[in-house]
Amino acid sequence: MEKLNQYKNIALLFALSSLWALHFSLVKFVEADDSPLTILVSLLTILCALFFIFLFLQKKLFKFTLKKSLFFSVAGMLAYIIPLSVEFVVAPKIEAGILTLIISVVPVFTLIIIWLFRLLNVTTKLVIGTLSGLVGLVILLYGNNFNNASANVWAFYALIIPLSYAFDAIFMEKFWPKNLDSTQVAFGESLASLIFVIILSVFFGNKFYDHYQWFTVSSFWILAIITFIEVWLFFYILNRVGAVFVNLSSYLVMPAGFLWGYLIFGETFTFIKLISTLLICISIFMIGNQQYRIKNIPIE
């Protein structure tokens, strides 16, 4: 049974990575770099509405307390407001391959943070597994022509995204409130983020139409539905197996991106891509068969 659960966790991780890779392609399509706050308000409104409906139908609506609100606010900043704002700004300015590559270093940031704060015993398998995935990404970076985009200021700015995601997963696992499931936490985080971005959007003078216009864009709706599934799955895996494992999905975003490129755009799957994918998969299976859980100290 334990072995079956491990394979289930790995399968879920592959599914999350595929959705995440598709998400980055859709972010590029919507071209929201001129108004990231307005699309964030619209996107978070959709997420809140969908999560609320699920909780209402399951009779799992819960009471917001001061401590829970603080937890959701911090998590929302790290999971939505900071990374998505940066994503919408940088996506049209750098190549999709570079953006995906940058996002893929989340496990490295996760390991560094865990080591600095002594949250886990950093074992040999954990280090080797993490480095295996990183080597796969490095091979891919130097084996393809990205036109020196890695030196671009926007690429360095984009490093905020994986750093924010790494802090978010660790923070949530460490302080996850008692008696709340994945859907409840996803709703609370989305709602706290929505309130904050509405305040920011009003402060910067955005009008109602600036937000409403996104609801008329078909690619926005696809992005919203994919993001909803992706967010729910992320919280489900995080609550099930922890931050270290769930952040490994970032390594798999690159090969998943190759798959979408092959299926949708007819791109070729080169030998370099094959080698990097194999190394990344080795990383997933090495760490996926271990139990790495940060000690939970519920905020409430």
Side-chain angles (χ1 to χ4, degrees), residues 180-226:
L180 290 187
D181 64 18
S182 306
T183 308
Q184 290 170 319
V185 170
F187 171 67
E189 185 180 87
S190 300
L191 182 59
S193 302
L194 176 60
I195 294 170
F196 186 79
V197 293
I198 286 175
I199 294 172
L200 277 181
S201 190
V202 171
F203 176 79
F204 284 105
N206 292 316
K207 308 299 182 184
F208 176 77
Y209 175 75
D210 297 328
H211 307 95
Y212 171 77
Q213 64 175 333
W214 291 110
F215 292 100
T216 64
V217 179
S218 57
S219 57
F220 166 79
W221 281 101
I222 299 173
L223 173 63
I225 298 301
I226 293 299

Side-chain angles (χ1 to χ4, degrees), residues 15-296:
L16 176 61
S17 305
S18 299
L19 290 172
W20 209 359
L22 183 58
H23 167 93
F24 291 124
S25 298
L26 293 171
V27 165
K28 200 169 181 67
F29 278 130
V30 296
E31 296 183 350
D33 54 317
D34 291 331
S35 54
L37 278 177
T38 61
I39 193 172
L40 271 176
V41 170
S42 302
L43 182 62
L44 286 168
T45 298
I46 298 294
L47 294 183
C48 285
L50 291 174
F51 282 126
F52 178 84
I53 292 170
F54 268 69
L55 291 177
F56 179 78
L57 293 176
Q58 296 175 345
K59 298 181 179 179
K60 288 185 177 181
L61 292 174
F62 60 97
K63 181 180 179 181
F64 281 82
T65 63
L66 181 60
K67 288 184 178 180
K68 284 191 180 76
S69 299
L70 176 62
F71 171 81
F72 291 137
S73 298
V74 174
M77 287 289 294
L78 294 171
Y80 289 122
I81 298 169
I82 294 174
L84 287 180
S85 296
V86 176
E87 272 181 41
F88 287 124
V89 170
V90 304
K93 297 178 175 66
I94 61 178
E95 295 180 28
I98 285 294
L99 179 58
T100 309
L101 184 68
I102 290 169
I103 304 303
S104 296
V105 301
V106 171
V108 178
F109 281 118
T110 302
L111 185 63
I112 291 171
I113 294 168
I114 284 173
W115 182 79
L116 287 175
F117 290 95
R118 298 295 192 269
L119 297 174
L120 282 176
N121 293 323
V122 182
T123 64
T124 302
K125 282 192 174 182
L126 180 57
V127 173
I128 293 175
T130 303
L131 291 179
S132 174
L134 184 60
V135 169
L137 295 175
V138 170
I139 290 174
L140 183 67
L141 175 62
Y142 287 99
N144 290 272
N145 179 21
F146 288 124
N147 299 319
N148 296 319
S150 59
N152 191 289
V153 64
W154 292 110
F156 287 104
Y157 180 46
L159 285 172
I160 294 173
I161 302 171
L163 184 61
S164 186
Y165 282 142
F167 269 112
D168 175 61
I170 292 171
F171 171 80
M172 296 202 70
E173 183 180 359
K174 184 72 174 176
F175 301 109
W176 189 291
K178 283 184 178 179
N179 304 320
L180 290 187
D181 64 18
S182 306
T183 308
Q184 290 170 319
V185 170
F187 171 67
E189 185 180 87
S190 300
L191 182 59
S193 302
L194 176 60
I195 294 170
F196 186 79
V197 293
I198 286 175
I199 294 172
L200 277 181
S201 190
V202 171
F203 176 79
F204 284 105
N206 292 316
K207 308 299 182 184
F208 176 77
Y209 175 75
D210 297 328
H211 307 95
Y212 171 77
Q213 64 175 333
W214 291 110
F215 292 100
T216 64
V217 179
S218 57
S219 57
F220 166 79
W221 281 101
I222 299 173
L223 173 63
I225 298 301
I226 293 299
T227 304
F228 169 74
I229 300 171
E230 170 196 333
V231 168
W232 179 85
L233 188 56
F234 172 84
F235 284 119
Y236 178 78
I237 300 174
L238 176 63
N239 193 32
R240 182 182 172 89
V241 287
V244 173
F245 185 77
V246 75
N247 276 350
L248 283 172
S249 61
S250 307
Y251 272 162
L252 281 169
V253 168
M254 184 61 75
F258 298 151
L259 180 61
W260 285 117
Y262 172 76
L263 293 176
I264 300 174
F265 304 110
E267 297 173 354
T268 57
F269 196 79
T270 64
F271 180 72
I272 290 293
K273 291 178 180 179
L274 175 63
I275 295 299
S276 67
T277 299
L278 288 175
L279 286 169
I280 290 170
C281 287
I282 289 172
S283 169
I284 300 302
F285 279 95
M286 280 194 69
I287 299 179
N289 287 326
Q290 307 300 310
Q291 296 296 322
Y292 296 111
R293 297 303 304 265
I294 297 170
K295 184 181 179 181
N296 176 243

